[in-house]
Amino acid sequence: MTLFVQLAAAEPVTKIVTIYQPNGGAHMARIDYFDPESASPDIVRALEGKKKINIFRMIANSDGAGAEVLALGQKLSHGSSLDHVDREIVILRVGYLSVASYEIKQHTAVARRVGLSDDKIHAVGEYPDTSFEFNDAERDLIAFTDAVVKETTPPEDVFRRVEGRYNRSQIVELVLLIGFYMMVSRVMNTFEIDLETGPAETFKF
């Protein structure tokens, strides 16, 4: 059946998202998570030291591309040249547009760590139906993200305003960031990845 839920009560996000409970029971992903005993050396190296979160465990099922996808995610998250707040606004916005409850939950925590207030995190999902006062640069960033997700490309005026704030490397990275989290959101939703309920340990092989 389909169950409509809010994020945990402690979360500021009130947008309704959908999770699935096959056969009316406890939620389980559509396919099994990867088996560490049969993982390829490339996957083992890619996971070493990472948190045991379910999106990593699902991507690791792909022997052919999993290691590279995990490496790209690491680079875009921790080696990004974008401002940390800008990065999390974009990721959260993609999560909302994709109705990806897992992504929203994970990056609500990250967004708080880099300084976004609960009100701002909430407003990213509700924009433009929010009283929160984003600045001009943030409104342009959201408009850019929305256009790439919905239309594949932003209109010229939005593109030029964002281009005026980023160098060439950063604006290309911005589009890569949007595309990456669109992809990851679809992995989360297609395989109905379970939301974690507690702290995650790290992979140690």
Side-chain angles (χ1 to χ4, degrees):
M1 68 177 181
T2 303
L3 174 67
F4 293 90
V5 298
Q6 292 182 328
L7 295 181
E11 302 291 340
V13 179
T14 58
K15 194 176 189 71
I16 302 299
V17 295
T18 307
I19 63 173
Y20 300 92
Q21 291 189 304
N23 303 317
H27 176 60
M28 295 178 63
R30 277 178 159 171
I31 64 173
D32 291 339
Y33 298 103
F34 94 113
D35 179 3
E37 298 300 321
S38 61
S40 70
D42 285 346
I43 292 294
V44 168
R45 283 192 295 270
L47 288 174
E48 182 68 36
K50 283 187 168 55
K51 288 185 178 180
K52 289 183 180 179
I53 59 175
N54 290 332
I55 182 59
F56 294 163
R57 296 172 63 218
M58 184 58 70
I59 290 172
N61 275 318
S62 172
D63 285 334
E68 289 78 9
V69 170
L70 292 167
L72 179 56
Q74 176 82 7
K75 187 66 175 177
L76 290 171
S77 295
H78 299 288
S80 175
S81 64
L82 299 176
D83 175 82
H84 294 332
V85 170
D86 287 358
R87 182 193 69 210
E88 292 306 316
I89 287 173
V90 168
I91 294 171
L92 283 169
R93 187 64 177 180
V94 172
Y96 278 112
L97 294 174
S98 302
V99 198
S101 57
Y102 187 98
E103 185 166 307
I104 295 166
K105 181 177 186 294
Q106 288 289 338
H107 280 274
T108 290
V110 177
R112 285 174 175 156
R113 289 200 296 270
V114 301
L116 274 74
S117 68
D118 286 355
D119 286 345
K120 191 167 191 173
I121 292 168
H122 180 90
V124 169
E126 297 302 320
Y127 185 85
D129 299 323
T130 176
S131 60
F132 187 88
E133 292 290 337
F134 289 104
N135 61 39
D136 289 344
E138 290 167 341
R139 285 193 293 271
D140 286 341
L141 190 61
I142 292 171
F144 188 102
T145 302
D146 286 7
V148 172
V149 173
K150 296 176 182 178
E151 309 295 338
T152 77
T153 185
E156 185 69 10
D157 59 333
V158 173
F159 180 88
R160 294 303 173 192
R161 289 200 299 273
V162 173
E163 181 191 34
R165 298 186 179 100
Y166 291 136
N167 62 36
R168 187 181 301 173
S169 175
Q170 289 172 322
I171 199 165
V172 171
E173 186 177 322
L174 172 60
V175 179
L176 291 173
L177 183 73
I178 295 168
F180 180 83
Y181 280 95
M182 287 176 66
M183 175 184 70
V184 170
S185 290
R186 281 143 185 82
V187 172
M188 295 167 177
N189 289 352
T190 297
F191 296 109
E192 299 171 11
I193 293 177
D194 307 271
L195 297 171
E196 283 85 13
T197 58
E201 299 178 351
T202 57
F203 284 106
K204 296 178 181 178
F205 296 96

